[in-house]
Amino acid sequence: MYWLEHAWLGTHVEPGVVLEVAGDGRIAALRTQVTAPPPGAEPLRGLTLPGLANAHSHAFHRALRSTVQVGSGTFWTWREIMYGVAHKLTPDTYFALARAVYAEMALAGITNVGEFHYLHHAPGGTPYADPNAMGEALIEAAAAAGIRITLLDTAYLASGILDARRGKPLDAHQLRFSDGTADAWAERASALKPRAHALIGAAVHSVRAVPAGQLATVARWAEEHRAPLHVHLSEQTAENDACQAAHGRTPAQLLADHGVLGPRTTGVHHTHLTDADIALIGSSATGTCMCPTTERDLADGIGPAAGLQRAGSPLSLGSDSHAVIDLLEEARAMELDERLRSRTRGHWTANALLSAATADGHAALGLPDAGRLEPGALADFTTIALDSVRTAGPPPRLGAETAVFAASAADVRHTVVGGRHLVRDGAHTLVPDVPAALAASIAAVRG
């Protein structure tokens, strides 16, 4: 049982809330107007939110932080550096790195991560003895760090679009990403099994990495397994140009033609869309995952998130390349980037931005029963200090505004997953020294 000094209940901040946890790790009951901790209740002082959902992650990109800020370049030059790190990873080193990254996420209030996983095989493309060794390493890393994971096992079959039927051959670094065909991908992905803390989903890396004739295989697998399906969509203008040249259609139109879009699907980035694309994505109820800190870091552009939501696309948030891991910053950046683009303020309320970071993010990862402080929901939540140098001053009733527009990951004091206290007073209970774990695991793949 926990006593929440202040709790965000989706529409407002409520003072003095008792939250009872059932034996199955779900919220059994909420009681309001409890002015002091009752006997046996653990007090969480500050503002408690539902656990944050990081809907788009590439865990190994964390090894690139800061090192890719030297000099200039483009997304494509950044990608070459990323390939160098990917080439050095093994199941053991990936477990160590992902465990540290997921622990950093827990310290930031994240209770569930969507891992967009395409690093499947050994360098050169030879499968490991267990063809899912790398995916299993990620699942075990999440367990060791105490958070939930939706492993979005990703089809990656080509290095680009060659023509309407074929993709370009993979380069040397990309060979370990590929199963050769979508059917072979589906066979391998089917061997992955969900467990208490892990769901298995699917992903199309992009229209440049999965030839058009094989898109339907991935979409059909997700439908048959009732699994979430994610896809990088229109992140780069070069991808749009290649798709138009080969197919006479935008990537969004091509994905719609092959059954990829729909309410089970989330498109990541959605940066360079036409008005027709926006209408198509919205009318199909395809979700949009915005990753503002990565999109700005790579100079990709500002996607039309406001227009997409007006068209009917649910919004979620991700930290993607982990330039920073801070879902509050992602929520803030989505609003502030739109202000810069449109030169107007107030596109989303703080409540709406927190919903994108919580309930809507969890739904995009296949957990519609998470991201809310209500009976029956998973007992996953996080508490933000209201007395730090960033958050002190505003009245608690403005806690949502304080969380989104003033707080940062550094203000997270507690994280609870399944009713278990995972981060207590800013310290991770399973990974005692997260900075040391990060430093060691990153050194092992960058040496």
PDB file of all heavy atoms in Angstrom, residues 57-87:
ATOM      1  N   SER A  57      12.658   2.674 -28.833  1.00  0.00           N
ATOM      2  CA  SER A  57      14.028   2.603 -28.319  1.00  0.00           C
ATOM      3  C   SER A  57      14.886   1.740 -29.225  1.00  0.00           C
ATOM      4  O   SER A  57      14.440   0.707 -29.732  1.00  0.00           O
ATOM      5  CB  SER A  57      14.025   1.997 -26.908  1.00  0.00           C
ATOM      6  OG  SER A  57      15.324   1.545 -26.528  1.00  0.00           O
ATOM      7  N   HIS A  58      16.122   2.176 -29.431  1.00  0.00           N
ATOM      8  CA  HIS A  58      17.195   1.326 -29.948  1.00  0.00           C
ATOM      9  C   HIS A  58      18.257   1.332 -28.854  1.00  0.00           C
ATOM     10  O   HIS A  58      19.064   2.267 -28.764  1.00  0.00           O
ATOM     11  CB  HIS A  58      17.782   1.883 -31.245  1.00  0.00           C
ATOM     12  CG  HIS A  58      16.792   2.063 -32.355  1.00  0.00           C
ATOM     13  ND1 HIS A  58      16.210   1.001 -33.011  1.00  0.00           N
ATOM     14  CD2 HIS A  58      16.272   3.179 -32.929  1.00  0.00           C
ATOM     15  CE1 HIS A  58      15.396   1.451 -33.946  1.00  0.00           C
ATOM     16  NE2 HIS A  58      15.415   2.778 -33.918  1.00  0.00           N
ATOM     17  N   ALA A  59      18.276   0.313 -28.007  1.00  0.00           N
ATOM     18  CA  ALA A  59      19.100   0.351 -26.793  1.00  0.00           C
ATOM     19  C   ALA A  59      20.570   0.593 -27.099  1.00  0.00           C
ATOM     20  O   ALA A  59      21.256   1.335 -26.384  1.00  0.00           O
ATOM     21  CB  ALA A  59      18.923  -0.943 -25.995  1.00  0.00           C
ATOM     22  N   PHE A  60      21.082  -0.018 -28.179  1.00  0.00           N
ATOM     23  CA  PHE A  60      22.525   0.096 -28.415  1.00  0.00           C
ATOM     24  C   PHE A  60      22.940   1.495 -28.859  1.00  0.00           C
ATOM     25  O   PHE A  60      24.110   1.857 -28.774  1.00  0.00           O
ATOM     26  CB  PHE A  60      23.008  -0.974 -29.393  1.00  0.00           C
ATOM     27  CG  PHE A  60      22.643  -0.768 -30.834  1.00  0.00           C
ATOM     28  CD1 PHE A  60      23.520  -0.120 -31.693  1.00  0.00           C
ATOM     29  CD2 PHE A  60      21.445  -1.255 -31.345  1.00  0.00           C
ATOM     30  CE1 PHE A  60      23.202   0.044 -33.043  1.00  0.00           C
ATOM     31  CE2 PHE A  60      21.130  -1.094 -32.676  1.00  0.00           C
ATOM     32  CZ  PHE A  60      22.003  -0.441 -33.531  1.00  0.00           C
ATOM     33  N   HIS A  61      21.999   2.312 -29.305  1.00  0.00           N
ATOM     34  CA  HIS A  61      22.339   3.687 -29.670  1.00  0.00           C
ATOM     35  C   HIS A  61      22.823   4.500 -28.470  1.00  0.00           C
ATOM     36  O   HIS A  61      23.478   5.540 -28.650  1.00  0.00           O
ATOM     37  CB  HIS A  61      21.129   4.387 -30.283  1.00  0.00           C
ATOM     38  CG  HIS A  61      20.764   3.905 -31.649  1.00  0.00           C
ATOM     39  ND1 HIS A  61      19.845   4.563 -32.445  1.00  0.00           N
ATOM     40  CD2 HIS A  61      21.182   2.832 -32.367  1.00  0.00           C
ATOM     41  CE1 HIS A  61      19.715   3.912 -33.593  1.00  0.00           C
ATOM     42  NE2 HIS A  61      20.519   2.850 -33.558  1.00  0.00           N
ATOM     43  N   ARG A  62      22.522   4.043 -27.265  1.00  0.00           N
ATOM     44  CA  ARG A  62      22.984   4.767 -26.066  1.00  0.00           C
ATOM     45  C   ARG A  62      24.503   4.895 -26.055  1.00  0.00           C
ATOM     46  O   ARG A  62      25.055   5.864 -25.499  1.00  0.00           O
ATOM     47  CB  ARG A  62      22.487   4.035 -24.814  1.00  0.00           C
ATOM     48  CG  ARG A  62      22.967   4.591 -23.486  1.00  0.00           C
ATOM     49  CD  ARG A  62      22.518   6.021 -23.251  1.00  0.00           C
ATOM     50  NE  ARG A  62      22.961   6.501 -21.947  1.00  0.00           N
ATOM     51  CZ  ARG A  62      24.163   6.981 -21.685  1.00  0.00           C
ATOM     52  NH1 ARG A  62      25.073   7.045 -22.651  1.00  0.00           N
ATOM     53  NH2 ARG A  62      24.468   7.400 -20.473  1.00  0.00           N
ATOM     54  N   ALA A  63      25.199   3.960 -26.712  1.00  0.00           N
ATOM     55  CA  ALA A  63      26.660   4.023 -26.763  1.00  0.00           C
ATOM     56  C   ALA A  63      27.172   5.164 -27.637  1.00  0.00           C
ATOM     57  O   ALA A  63      28.370   5.473 -27.613  1.00  0.00           O
ATOM     58  CB  ALA A  63      27.219   2.692 -27.278  1.00  0.00           C
ATOM     59  N   LEU A  64      26.277   5.795 -28.392  1.00  0.00           N
ATOM     60  CA  LEU A  64      26.672   6.894 -29.276  1.00  0.00           C
ATOM     61  C   LEU A  64      26.575   8.257 -28.605  1.00  0.00           C
ATOM     62  O   LEU A  64      27.043   9.253 -29.172  1.00  0.00           O
ATOM     63  CB  LEU A  64      25.787   6.905 -30.522  1.00  0.00           C
ATOM     64  CG  LEU A  64      25.766   5.644 -31.378  1.00  0.00           C
ATOM     65  CD1 LEU A  64      24.722   5.774 -32.475  1.00  0.00           C
ATOM     66  CD2 LEU A  64      27.130   5.394 -31.978  1.00  0.00           C
ATOM     67  N   ARG A  65      25.954   8.315 -27.440  1.00  0.00           N
ATOM     68  CA  ARG A  65      25.692   9.624 -26.822  1.00  0.00           C
ATOM     69  C   ARG A  65      26.975  10.450 -26.712  1.00  0.00           C
ATOM     70  O   ARG A  65      28.006   9.955 -26.260  1.00  0.00           O
ATOM     71  CB  ARG A  65      25.046   9.462 -25.442  1.00  0.00           C
ATOM     72  CG  ARG A  65      24.621  10.783 -24.812  1.00  0.00           C
ATOM     73  CD  ARG A  65      24.031  10.614 -23.427  1.00  0.00           C
ATOM     74  NE  ARG A  65      22.765   9.891 -23.460  1.00  0.00           N
ATOM     75  CZ  ARG A  65      22.059   9.582 -22.377  1.00  0.00           C
ATOM     76  NH1 ARG A  65      22.521   9.928 -21.175  1.00  0.00           N
ATOM     77  NH2 ARG A  65      20.923   8.922 -22.489  1.00  0.00           N
ATOM     78  N   SER A  66      26.895  11.694 -27.136  1.00  0.00           N
ATOM     79  CA  SER A  66      27.980  12.686 -27.110  1.00  0.00           C
ATOM     80  C   SER A  66      29.055  12.420 -28.154  1.00  0.00           C
ATOM     81  O   SER A  66      29.582  13.358 -28.755  1.00  0.00           O
ATOM     82  CB  SER A  66      28.614  12.799 -25.714  1.00  0.00           C
ATOM     83  OG  SER A  66      27.652  13.237 -24.782  1.00  0.00           O
ATOM     84  N   THR A  67      29.401  11.154 -28.400  1.00  0.00           N
ATOM     85  CA  THR A  67      30.489  10.884 -29.341  1.00  0.00           C
ATOM     86  C   THR A  67      30.126  11.279 -30.767  1.00  0.00           C
ATOM     87  O   THR A  67      31.017  11.492 -31.591  1.00  0.00           O
ATOM     88  CB  THR A  67      30.875   9.395 -29.319  1.00  0.00           C
ATOM     89  OG1 THR A  67      29.763   8.613 -29.756  1.00  0.00           O
ATOM     90  CG2 THR A  67      31.273   8.964 -27.914  1.00  0.00           C
ATOM     91  N   VAL A  68      28.836  11.360 -31.080  1.00  0.00           N
ATOM     92  CA  VAL A  68      28.415  11.752 -32.430  1.00  0.00           C
ATOM     93  C   VAL A  68      28.176  13.255 -32.543  1.00  0.00           C
ATOM     94  O   VAL A  68      27.657  13.730 -33.549  1.00  0.00           O
ATOM     95  CB  VAL A  68      27.141  10.991 -32.851  1.00  0.00           C
ATOM     96  CG1 VAL A  68      27.444   9.530 -33.089  1.00  0.00           C
ATOM     97  CG2 VAL A  68      26.045  11.153 -31.807  1.00  0.00           C
ATOM     98  N   GLN A  69      28.561  14.011 -31.517  1.00  0.00           N
ATOM     99  CA  GLN A  69      28.363  15.461 -31.549  1.00  0.00           C
ATOM    100  C   GLN A  69      29.621  16.201 -32.003  1.00  0.00           C
ATOM    101  O   GLN A  69      29.643  17.428 -31.988  1.00  0.00           O
ATOM    102  CB  GLN A  69      27.931  15.960 -30.165  1.00  0.00           C
ATOM    103  CG  GLN A  69      26.671  15.302 -29.628  1.00  0.00           C
ATOM    104  CD  GLN A  69      25.447  15.522 -30.516  1.00  0.00           C
ATOM    105  OE1 GLN A  69      25.435  16.399 -31.364  1.00  0.00           O
ATOM    106  NE2 GLN A  69      24.418  14.704 -30.311  1.00  0.00           N
ATOM    107  N   VAL A  70      30.639  15.480 -32.402  1.00  0.00           N
ATOM    108  CA  VAL A  70      31.878  16.103 -32.861  1.00  0.00           C
ATOM    109  C   VAL A  70      31.763  16.362 -34.360  1.00  0.00           C
ATOM    110  O   VAL A  70      31.502  15.441 -35.141  1.00  0.00           O
ATOM    111  CB  VAL A  70      33.093  15.200 -32.569  1.00  0.00           C
ATOM    112  CG1 VAL A  70      34.376  15.846 -33.085  1.00  0.00           C
ATOM    113  CG2 VAL A  70      33.190  14.925 -31.066  1.00  0.00           C
ATOM    114  N   GLY A  71      31.941  17.608 -34.776  1.00  0.00           N
ATOM    115  CA  GLY A  71      31.852  17.936 -36.192  1.00  0.00           C
ATOM    116  C   GLY A  71      30.409  18.063 -36.644  1.00  0.00           C
ATOM    117  O   GLY A  71      29.491  18.262 -35.852  1.00  0.00           O
ATOM    118  N   SER A  72      30.197  17.935 -37.946  1.00  0.00           N
ATOM    119  CA  SER A  72      28.863  18.078 -38.505  1.00  0.00           C
ATOM    120  C   SER A  72      28.480  16.792 -39.211  1.00  0.00           C
ATOM    121  O   SER A  72      28.992  15.720 -38.889  1.00  0.00           O
ATOM    122  CB  SER A  72      28.824  19.270 -39.467  1.00  0.00           C
ATOM    123  OG  SER A  72      29.745  19.071 -40.528  1.00  0.00           O
ATOM    124  N   GLY A  73      27.597  16.873 -40.191  1.00  0.00           N
ATOM    125  CA  GLY A  73      27.195  15.678 -40.913  1.00  0.00           C
ATOM    126  C   GLY A  73      25.694  15.611 -41.064  1.00  0.00           C
ATOM    127  O   GLY A  73      24.967  16.570 -40.814  1.00  0.00           O
ATOM    128  N   THR A  74      25.194  14.440 -41.451  1.00  0.00           N
ATOM    129  CA  THR A  74      23.779  14.211 -41.693  1.00  0.00           C
ATOM    130  C   THR A  74      23.348  12.931 -40.995  1.00  0.00           C
ATOM    131  O   THR A  74      24.159  12.231 -40.376  1.00  0.00           O
ATOM    132  CB  THR A  74      23.522  14.034 -43.208  1.00  0.00           C
ATOM    133  OG1 THR A  74      24.169  12.823 -43.646  1.00  0.00           O
ATOM    134  CG2 THR A  74      24.053  15.228 -44.000  1.00  0.00           C
ATOM    135  N   PHE A  75      22.060  12.615 -41.119  1.00  0.00           N
ATOM    136  CA  PHE A  75      21.560  11.333 -40.627  1.00  0.00           C
ATOM    137  C   PHE A  75      22.393  10.186 -41.198  1.00  0.00           C
ATOM    138  O   PHE A  75      22.717   9.223 -40.497  1.00  0.00           O
ATOM    139  CB  PHE A  75      20.091  11.167 -41.032  1.00  0.00           C
ATOM    140  CG  PHE A  75      19.555   9.771 -40.851  1.00  0.00           C
ATOM    141  CD1 PHE A  75      19.051   9.365 -39.631  1.00  0.00           C
ATOM    142  CD2 PHE A  75      19.569   8.855 -41.903  1.00  0.00           C
ATOM    143  CE1 PHE A  75      18.567   8.073 -39.457  1.00  0.00           C
ATOM    144  CE2 PHE A  75      19.088   7.567 -41.744  1.00  0.00           C
ATOM    145  CZ  PHE A  75      18.581   7.175 -40.514  1.00  0.00           C
ATOM    146  N   TRP A  76      22.775  10.294 -42.460  1.00  0.00           N
ATOM    147  CA  TRP A  76      23.440   9.185 -43.138  1.00  0.00           C
ATOM    148  C   TRP A  76      24.873   9.023 -42.636  1.00  0.00           C
ATOM    149  O   TRP A  76      25.361   7.883 -42.529  1.00  0.00           O
ATOM    150  CB  TRP A  76      23.391   9.399 -44.649  1.00  0.00           C
ATOM    151  CG  TRP A  76      21.983   9.630 -45.110  1.00  0.00           C
ATOM    152  CD1 TRP A  76      21.418  10.826 -45.452  1.00  0.00           C
ATOM    153  CD2 TRP A  76      20.931   8.661 -45.198  1.00  0.00           C
ATOM    154  NE1 TRP A  76      20.084  10.658 -45.766  1.00  0.00           N
ATOM    155  CE2 TRP A  76      19.763   9.345 -45.627  1.00  0.00           C
ATOM    156  CE3 TRP A  76      20.871   7.288 -44.981  1.00  0.00           C
ATOM    157  CZ2 TRP A  76      18.550   8.682 -45.830  1.00  0.00           C
ATOM    158  CZ3 TRP A  76      19.654   6.640 -45.179  1.00  0.00           C
ATOM    159  CH2 TRP A  76      18.523   7.332 -45.593  1.00  0.00           C
ATOM    160  N   THR A  77      25.565  10.110 -42.306  1.00  0.00           N
ATOM    161  CA  THR A  77      26.912   9.969 -41.728  1.00  0.00           C
ATOM    162  C   THR A  77      26.820   9.474 -40.287  1.00  0.00           C
ATOM    163  O   THR A  77      27.665   8.689 -39.842  1.00  0.00           O
ATOM    164  CB  THR A  77      27.674  11.297 -41.788  1.00  0.00           C
ATOM    165  OG1 THR A  77      26.921  12.331 -41.136  1.00  0.00           O
ATOM    166  CG2 THR A  77      27.912  11.721 -43.234  1.00  0.00           C
ATOM    167  N   TRP A  78      25.786   9.926 -39.562  1.00  0.00           N
ATOM    168  CA  TRP A  78      25.553   9.401 -38.206  1.00  0.00           C
ATOM    169  C   TRP A  78      25.321   7.897 -38.268  1.00  0.00           C
ATOM    170  O   TRP A  78      25.814   7.142 -37.426  1.00  0.00           O
ATOM    171  CB  TRP A  78      24.337  10.103 -37.608  1.00  0.00           C
ATOM    172  CG  TRP A  78      23.841   9.517 -36.321  1.00  0.00           C
ATOM    173  CD1 TRP A  78      24.215   9.858 -35.059  1.00  0.00           C
ATOM    174  CD2 TRP A  78      22.881   8.453 -36.181  1.00  0.00           C
ATOM    175  NE1 TRP A  78      23.550   9.083 -34.135  1.00  0.00           N
ATOM    176  CE2 TRP A  78      22.730   8.208 -34.800  1.00  0.00           C
ATOM    177  CE3 TRP A  78      22.140   7.690 -37.071  1.00  0.00           C
ATOM    178  CZ2 TRP A  78      21.866   7.248 -34.300  1.00  0.00           C
ATOM    179  CZ3 TRP A  78      21.275   6.716 -36.579  1.00  0.00           C
ATOM    180  CH2 TRP A  78      21.153   6.504 -35.200  1.00  0.00           C
ATOM    181  N   ARG A  79      24.603   7.450 -39.291  1.00  0.00           N
ATOM    182  CA  ARG A  79      24.275   6.033 -39.405  1.00  0.00           C
ATOM    183  C   ARG A  79      25.529   5.183 -39.548  1.00  0.00           C
ATOM    184  O   ARG A  79      25.587   4.057 -39.027  1.00  0.00           O
ATOM    185  CB  ARG A  79      23.326   5.806 -40.589  1.00  0.00           C
ATOM    186  CG  ARG A  79      22.752   4.413 -40.628  1.00  0.00           C
ATOM    187  CD  ARG A  79      21.768   4.247 -41.752  1.00  0.00           C
ATOM    188  NE  ARG A  79      22.415   4.231 -43.056  1.00  0.00           N
ATOM    189  CZ  ARG A  79      21.853   3.714 -44.151  1.00  0.00           C
ATOM    190  NH1 ARG A  79      20.634   3.204 -44.107  1.00  0.00           N
ATOM    191  NH2 ARG A  79      22.491   3.743 -45.307  1.00  0.00           N
ATOM    192  N   GLU A  80      26.543   5.672 -40.235  1.00  0.00           N
ATOM    193  CA  GLU A  80      27.766   4.901 -40.396  1.00  0.00           C
ATOM    194  C   GLU A  80      28.462   4.666 -39.061  1.00  0.00           C
ATOM    195  O   GLU A  80      29.003   3.599 -38.802  1.00  0.00           O
ATOM    196  CB  GLU A  80      28.699   5.605 -41.384  1.00  0.00           C
ATOM    197  CG  GLU A  80      28.196   5.605 -42.813  1.00  0.00           C
ATOM    198  CD  GLU A  80      27.910   4.210 -43.331  1.00  0.00           C
ATOM    199  OE1 GLU A  80      28.770   3.321 -43.156  1.00  0.00           O
ATOM    200  OE2 GLU A  80      26.809   4.006 -43.890  1.00  0.00           O
ATOM    201  N   ILE A  81      28.442   5.689 -38.185  1.00  0.00           N
ATOM    202  CA  ILE A  81      29.015   5.519 -36.842  1.00  0.00           C
ATOM    203  C   ILE A  81      28.207   4.498 -36.052  1.00  0.00           C
ATOM    204  O   ILE A  81      28.750   3.643 -35.349  1.00  0.00           O
ATOM    205  CB  ILE A  81      29.075   6.874 -36.115  1.00  0.00           C
ATOM    206  CG1 ILE A  81      29.929   7.875 -36.909  1.00  0.00           C
ATOM    207  CG2 ILE A  81      29.631   6.709 -34.697  1.00  0.00           C
ATOM    208  CD1 ILE A  81      29.871   9.289 -36.372  1.00  0.00           C
ATOM    209  N   MET A  82      26.892   4.583 -36.183  1.00  0.00           N
ATOM    210  CA  MET A  82      26.019   3.636 -35.494  1.00  0.00           C
ATOM    211  C   MET A  82      26.310   2.206 -35.931  1.00  0.00           C
ATOM    212  O   MET A  82      26.360   1.279 -35.101  1.00  0.00           O
ATOM    213  CB  MET A  82      24.563   3.998 -35.769  1.00  0.00           C
ATOM    214  CG  MET A  82      23.543   3.068 -35.136  1.00  0.00           C
ATOM    215  SD  MET A  82      23.059   1.697 -36.210  1.00  0.00           S
ATOM    216  CE  MET A  82      22.050   2.547 -37.425  1.00  0.00           C
ATOM    217  N   TYR A  83      26.522   1.987 -37.220  1.00  0.00           N
ATOM    218  CA  TYR A  83      26.823   0.650 -37.706  1.00  0.00           C
ATOM    219  C   TYR A  83      28.093   0.091 -37.066  1.00  0.00           C
ATOM    220  O   TYR A  83      28.196  -1.115 -36.799  1.00  0.00           O
ATOM    221  CB  TYR A  83      27.003   0.670 -39.226  1.00  0.00           C
ATOM    222  CG  TYR A  83      25.733   0.770 -40.031  1.00  0.00           C
ATOM    223  CD1 TYR A  83      25.780   1.165 -41.369  1.00  0.00           C
ATOM    224  CD2 TYR A  83      24.493   0.455 -39.490  1.00  0.00           C
ATOM    225  CE1 TYR A  83      24.627   1.260 -42.134  1.00  0.00           C
ATOM    226  CE2 TYR A  83      23.344   0.546 -40.242  1.00  0.00           C
ATOM    227  CZ  TYR A  83      23.412   0.954 -41.563  1.00  0.00           C
ATOM    228  OH  TYR A  83      22.270   1.042 -42.317  1.00  0.00           O
ATOM    229  N   GLY A  84      29.072   0.969 -36.828  1.00  0.00           N
ATOM    230  CA  GLY A  84      30.307   0.516 -36.206  1.00  0.00           C
ATOM    231  C   GLY A  84      30.088  -0.046 -34.823  1.00  0.00           C
ATOM    232  O   GLY A  84      30.708  -1.056 -34.433  1.00  0.00           O
ATOM    233  N   VAL A  85      29.210   0.586 -34.046  1.00  0.00           N
ATOM    234  CA  VAL A  85      28.881   0.064 -32.713  1.00  0.00           C
ATOM    235  C   VAL A  85      28.099  -1.241 -32.834  1.00  0.00           C
ATOM    236  O   VAL A  85      28.377  -2.223 -32.133  1.00  0.00           O
ATOM    237  CB  VAL A  85      28.091   1.109 -31.910  1.00  0.00           C
ATOM    238  CG1 VAL A  85      27.564   0.508 -30.611  1.00  0.00           C
ATOM    239  CG2 VAL A  85      28.957   2.321 -31.610  1.00  0.00           C
ATOM    240  N   ALA A  86      27.117  -1.272 -33.724  1.00  0.00           N
ATOM    241  CA  ALA A  86      26.294  -2.469 -33.892  1.00  0.00           C
ATOM    242  C   ALA A  86      27.159  -3.680 -34.238  1.00  0.00           C
ATOM    243  O   ALA A  86      26.889  -4.798 -33.794  1.00  0.00           O
ATOM    244  CB  ALA A  86      25.252  -2.235 -34.973  1.00  0.00           C
ATOM    245  N   HIS A  87      28.204  -3.464 -35.021  1.00  0.00           N
ATOM    246  CA  HIS A  87      29.044  -4.566 -35.485  1.00  0.00           C
ATOM    247  C   HIS A  87      29.749  -5.271 -34.330  1.00  0.00           C
ATOM    248  O   HIS A  87      30.086  -6.461 -34.437  1.00  0.00           O
ATOM    249  CB  HIS A  87      30.070  -4.021 -36.485  1.00  0.00           C
ATOM    250  CG  HIS A  87      30.838  -5.084 -37.208  1.00  0.00           C
ATOM    251  ND1 HIS A  87      30.250  -5.903 -38.169  1.00  0.00           N
ATOM    252  CD2 HIS A  87      32.137  -5.497 -37.109  1.00  0.00           C
ATOM    253  CE1 HIS A  87      31.152  -6.749 -38.624  1.00  0.00           C
ATOM    254  NE2 HIS A  87      32.299  -6.536 -38.007  1.00  0.00           N
TER     255      HIS A  87
END
